[in-house]
Amino acid sequence: MQGVGAFSSPMCVSPSIPSSSCNHPSPCNIFLGRRNSVSTPNQSRSLKRRHQSLSVSLRPENTSFSAKAAAAASSSSGSESYAEEPATGVKFQTSLALPGCSTSLSLVGTGYREKVFAIIGVKVYAAGLYVHPSISSKLDAWKGKSAADILENRSLFNSIFQAPLEKSLQIVLVRDVDGKTFWDALDDAISPRIKSLTPIDQSALSTFRSIFQGRPLKKGTSIFLTWLDSSKMQVSVSSDGVPSRTDATIESENVTFALFDVFLGDASVSASLKASVANGLAAILN
């Protein structure tokens, strides 16, 4: 996830995601990437090096979303306040009232997704994780833990997923993309994380697919993935901020967990988001 600049190939300068005819990895991988079901020794060493690197970035002075940084980055507009994701400049409301949720959810961390082609890094979207304000009551075992400890502990993120409290991920596109490309990216990330699709999973994926087929997604569009519980997730797409309705409800624990794992599992597609969330949780639990 290193590097800056634009596509070097003329075929890929368009604001839309490049087609599969480009001499680059599949566009499905631009958004989310793929997780192997079994880690090789080289992958394990790479993951260890990445965690070691992230432990440095988790120091308060280096972290983009520590409690102090969030306060400094927040700006007010009427009764609303925002925190800016620094790499993309996308602003996230610090509190969101979403359809289907029992109360407003609180922003706990932000990050971005960047795809690297050779040495060229292209930012694709920013993301912010929101949680129910009472989530700390479900995480007593981690009170007093550092952000680095939280980042290394998969069981904490599993506990957040299993907690019977709402949480939501807001994805904000920083590039235009057609809906099919976005769905293909989601499907490419989800499928390797489900060992065997059941009829319920297949129905859920079909419902999910229908949201994006033939739908252009412009820069600035927000996709909200809102987990109401471990087996039910609402999906909303909005071009002008907080959605007023839900586009679809996904009812499959395999699918809902796979999506959570894409962003907050061991092989998170956004190291910056997961590190930021770890800092936000450490602030909440201390």
Side-chain angles (χ1 to χ4, degrees):
M1 296 180 66
Q2 300 296 322
V4 295
F7 284 116
S8 57
S9 169
M11 295 180 64
C12 298
V13 175
S14 165
S16 298
I17 293 301
S19 71
S20 58
S21 63
C22 295
N23 294 322
H24 294 310
S26 166
C28 295
N29 293 328
I30 291 176
F31 275 82
L32 297 169
R34 181 182 295 275
R35 178 185 177 188
N36 295 325
S37 59
V38 179
S39 296
T40 66
N42 286 340
Q43 289 171 328
S44 298
R45 286 193 293 271
S46 175
L47 184 60
K48 182 177 181 181
R49 286 195 298 270
R50 185 179 68 173
H51 281 178
Q52 289 170 340
S53 175
L54 283 172
S55 67
V56 175
S57 69
L58 288 168
R59 296 171 185 167
E61 65 270 25
N62 294 330
T63 303
S64 63
F65 201 87
S66 63
K68 183 183 293 185
S74 294
S75 59
S76 297
S77 175
S79 60
E80 298 175 351
S81 61
Y82 298 82
E84 182 176 300
E85 196 292 301
T88 59
V90 173
K91 293 183 178 180
F92 291 87
Q93 289 184 213
T94 56
S95 180
L96 273 185
L98 294 170
C101 291
S102 60
T103 189
S104 293
L105 306 184
S106 301
L107 182 66
V108 70
T110 66
Y112 65 95
R113 170 62 170 158
E114 182 177 69
K115 188 64 183 178
V116 177
F117 301 105
I119 60 171
I120 307 299
V122 180
K123 293 177 178 63
V124 186
Y125 59 76
L129 182 70
Y130 293 82
V131 297
H132 193 284
S134 66
I135 191 67
S136 60
S137 66
K138 306 295 182 181
L139 303 175
D140 286 342
W142 291 275
K143 287 189 181 299
K145 297 290 186 181
S146 68
D149 289 337
I150 289 172
L151 187 67
E152 295 286 343
N153 197 324
R154 178 172 185 155
S155 62
L156 183 146
F157 291 96
N158 286 345
S159 293
I160 293 174
F161 175 76
Q162 294 293 341
L165 298 170
E166 301 101 344
K167 43 264 176 189
S168 184
L169 185 78
Q170 180 183 1
I171 298 169
V172 182
L173 300 179
V174 295
R175 299 175 59 85
D176 291 354
V177 63
D178 66 274
K180 181 181 184 303
T181 298
F182 188 79
W183 165 252
D184 287 346
L186 286 173
D187 191 36
D188 188 63
I190 295 168
S191 295
R193 289 171 160 83
I194 302 177
K195 293 181 179 180
S196 179
L197 289 174
T198 68
I200 291 176
D201 300 335
Q202 292 172 341
S203 176
L205 290 172
S206 178
T207 299
F208 210 164
R209 181 188 305 112
S210 68
I211 300 170
F212 299 104
Q213 293 296 334
R215 184 175 194 164
L217 302 173
K218 298 295 184 181
K219 176 181 177 180
T221 297
S222 288
I223 296 99
F224 294 85
L225 308 177
T226 303
W227 293 268
L228 301 182
D229 57 45
S230 62
S231 62
K232 182 182 292 186
M233 184 183 73
Q234 292 183 342
V235 183
S236 301
V237 181
S238 174
S239 59
D240 55 0
V242 181
S244 58
R245 63 183 180 85
T246 297
D247 286 89
T249 299
I250 308 301
E251 298 191 62
S252 160
E253 187 160 2
N254 285 335
V255 174
T256 58
F257 177 75
L259 276 163
F260 191 86
D261 190 67
V262 165
F263 296 97
L264 295 166
D266 289 343
S268 169
V269 299
S270 175
S272 58
L273 173 65
K274 190 171 180 180
S276 178
V277 169
N279 275 275
L281 290 172
I284 291 171
L285 295 172
N286 280 292

